[in-house]
Amino acid sequence: MTNFKRIKEQDDKYFLNTYAPFDIAFVSGEGSTLTDSEGKTYTDFLSGIAVNCLGYNNPIFTNAIAEQAKKLTVISNYFYSEERGVLAKLLVEGTNLNKVFFGSSGAEVVECALKLARKYFYNKGEKKFKIVSTLESFHGRTLGAVTLTGQPKYNLPFAPLPEGLGIYVPFNDIDALEKALSDPEVCAFLVEPVQGEGGVRPATKEYLRAARDITRKNGQLLILDEVQTGGGRTGKFWACEYFDVEPDILTAAKGIGGGFPIGACLATDEVAKAFYPGDHGTTFGASPLAMAVSAAVVKEIKKPNFMENVLRLGEHLKTGIKNINSPYVKEVLGKGLMIGADLDPAIQAKDVVQEMLEKGFVLNACGKNILRFIPPLIITEQEIDNMLLALAPILRG
Ligand code: PLP
């Protein structure tokens, strides 16, 4: 029996199947290279779904875990913590935001954002509880976050859904947004600066600016979901820097932990003070271990050259995909190292992913028919070129 067969049999028997895994089991990683149970190597253009920004076995990440694990791991939020303050400061620096709540996943901090927005108006005695979000969005799988997700396939089976959520507007449509936000019971608008799972589609500058202006005029809150874009993925530490838009609340997760589970909900002082002690909490959030690892990762990403490199590599990748001159690539989307190729239905992104796996490259399909490239941010030009060389004959048909 091969190693893979043994791993698969055990997994199939015991792991609750909410995914449909590929017939591959990875056993180790180094840089942007993954090795499977049979010793075959792959170059990773998925990075755990936009998570492993520093690649695998990066000493910045592994040393931070080892050092902090020896010192202190979880102590609860009943006590002060140096590590917690250090990371919160690092995250809010350079933004209009002042305070941070820490959780352990993206959905968890989206949930925090929605509770915070509602609590803000509850404290004021205003009946504002509805949250508008966009079609094709993705905000996570908890009941609140999945209801805010503008893709019915993810939430319909779980009805009845929480009241006041599930009000969707088409992405990048200012008129539709203005109309939806005219409802006086709306407390907030939640939007991704670049839609991730929905198809790597960036918001236009006009749209996010209008979202800021309209919510401000109506006395509503703007929540930016940067769970996928945050932490340098787009070539800026926060994607909202591209749009000159200052949110009231911002959510982050994935990349800011570099592979360690973490979520962060950032808010302005004005909004953050709506939560009183006891209003919200979580056992694992803000553990010194998560804080120290994330701080090490974030410090590395925030180094000046790091982001320049992401932008340069992103352009290289984008140009490379365009230069394939595929009759099937309708548009190359995205920013930094969050890139998607929108494919004509004549070729299926999921089939391309399968063919690329066979050639030793891990890609992913998302949205309607988007081939997505979200490699570790430390990927090299050579690795990108090798991937493009393998991809070209498939995309040329
Ligand atoms: N928000 C966005 C924009 C995401 O892309 C995701 C996950 O893909 C989430 C929220 C949910 O994050 P998690 O899977 O960590 O709960």
Side-chain angles (χ1 to χ4, degrees):
M1 188 188 274
T2 61
N3 280 336
F4 174 69
K5 213 161 166 239
R6 183 183 49 76
I7 294 168
K8 179 178 162 65
E9 264 181 27
Q10 177 173 260
D11 226 10
D12 281 345
K13 187 162 175 202
Y14 295 109
F15 178 59
L16 199 156
N17 184 20
T18 61
Y19 295 85
F22 291 100
D23 270 351
I24 295 171
F26 292 119
V27 293
S28 64
E30 185 71 41
S32 300
T33 303
L34 287 164
T35 303
D36 76 9
S37 55
E38 312 312 296
K40 177 175 169 181
T41 58
Y42 302 75
T43 311
D44 184 19
F45 283 81
L46 179 62
S47 52
I49 321 184
V51 168
N52 304 307
C53 48
L54 301 185
Y56 301 93
N57 197 23
N58 188 314
I60 295 167
F61 180 76
T62 54
N63 290 343
I65 294 180
E67 292 310 312
Q68 186 59 42
K70 282 187 248 171
K71 241 165 79 186
L72 192 62
T73 53
V74 181
I75 45 154
S76 91
N77 286 296
Y78 290 153
F79 305 96
Y80 279 97
S81 154
E82 168 122 44
E83 293 82 6
R84 191 173 61 197
V86 166
L87 180 61
K89 180 168 181 272
L90 270 173
L91 292 179
V92 300
E93 255 167 15
T95 75
N96 65 306
L97 303 158
N98 312 100
K99 292 271 163 48
V100 188
F101 175 88
F102 289 107
S104 307
S105 72
E108 192 187 351
V109 289
V110 168
E111 212 71 35
C112 173
L114 90 83
K115 283 178 73 179
L116 181 59
R118 283 188 169 179
K119 184 73 192 328
Y120 178 74
F121 291 100
Y122 173 89
N123 289 355
K124 290 174 172 235
E126 288 181 43
K127 193 179 173 237
K128 279 186 183 296
F129 63 99
K130 296 179 182 169
I131 301 181
V132 174
S133 53
T134 64
L135 288 169
E136 314 300 334
S137 59
F138 188 86
H139 299 292
R141 304 294 195 138
T142 54
L143 206 50
V146 86
T147 308
L148 289 162
T149 293
Q151 304 189 57
K153 67 177 179 193
Y154 289 122
N155 55 40
L156 275 186
F158 306 107
L161 300 169
E163 196 188 339
L165 312 178
I167 308 156
Y168 311 119
V169 287
F171 190 56
N172 277 337
D173 181 336
I174 296 174
D175 291 341
L177 181 63
E178 186 146 34
K179 194 154 167 258
L181 295 184
S182 66
D183 178 346
E185 291 186 335
V186 169
C187 70
F189 175 50
L190 168 70
V191 64
E192 295 155 272
V194 182
Q195 285 192 329
E197 302 309 297
V200 201
R201 199 161 287 279
T204 62
K205 197 164 185 169
E206 300 72 49
Y207 184 64
L208 276 200
R209 289 277 191 86
R212 179 64 285 182
D213 291 346
I214 301 166
T215 47
R216 199 164 267 154
K217 179 180 75 159
N218 294 350
Q220 296 152 334
L221 302 180
L222 176 66
I223 309 171
L224 292 185
D225 184 347
E226 294 234 25
V227 164
Q228 188 157 147
T229 51
R233 172 59 52 189
T234 66
K236 305 256 185 210
F237 192 81
W238 301 117
C240 63
E241 294 167 38
Y242 279 107
F243 305 91
D244 292 329
V245 164
E246 297 192 332
D248 301 292
I249 303 175
L250 181 151
T251 55
K254 293 184 181 275
I256 61 165
F260 201 93
I262 185 172
C265 177
L266 286 62
T268 60
D269 266 332
E270 156 77 7
V271 173
K273 66 178 193 269
F275 267 166
Y276 307 150
D279 276 343
H280 197 54
T282 168
T283 302
F284 289 114
S287 74
L289 183 55
M291 300 296 96
V293 177
S294 175
V297 171
V298 168
K299 276 183 196 154
E300 180 64 15
I301 300 171
K302 282 197 163 185
K303 284 186 181 159
N305 292 347
F306 193 96
M307 218 57 71
E308 276 166 34
N309 204 38
V310 171
L311 283 171
R312 188 180 57 78
L313 292 167
E315 278 313 306
H316 186 74
L317 174 55
K318 238 180 168 173
T319 311
I321 299 167
K322 284 181 190 158
N323 285 349
I324 291 177
N325 276 323
S326 163
Y328 302 115
V329 176
K330 293 193 290 184
E331 198 180 352
V332 182
L333 299 155
K335 289 181 184 296
L337 283 171
M338 183 171 173
I339 303 290
D342 188 3
L343 301 185
D344 185 281
I347 189 169
Q348 285 299 302
K350 62 176 178 26
D351 297 337
V352 179
V353 169
Q354 186 59 52
E355 275 192 69
M356 285 298 279
L357 276 174
E358 282 154 28
K359 292 184 173 206
F361 298 92
V362 183
L363 270 70
N364 155 262
C366 72
K368 293 213 167 80
N369 194 22
I370 307 278
L371 186 62
R372 179 166 57 167
F373 308 80
I374 38 176
L377 304 181
I378 50 92
I379 192 108
T380 63
E381 217 169 278
Q382 187 61 58
E383 286 166 325
I384 292 175
D385 290 345
N386 292 345
M387 184 279 294
L388 290 168
L389 218 58
L391 182 64
I394 301 174
L395 285 188
R396 289 196 187 117

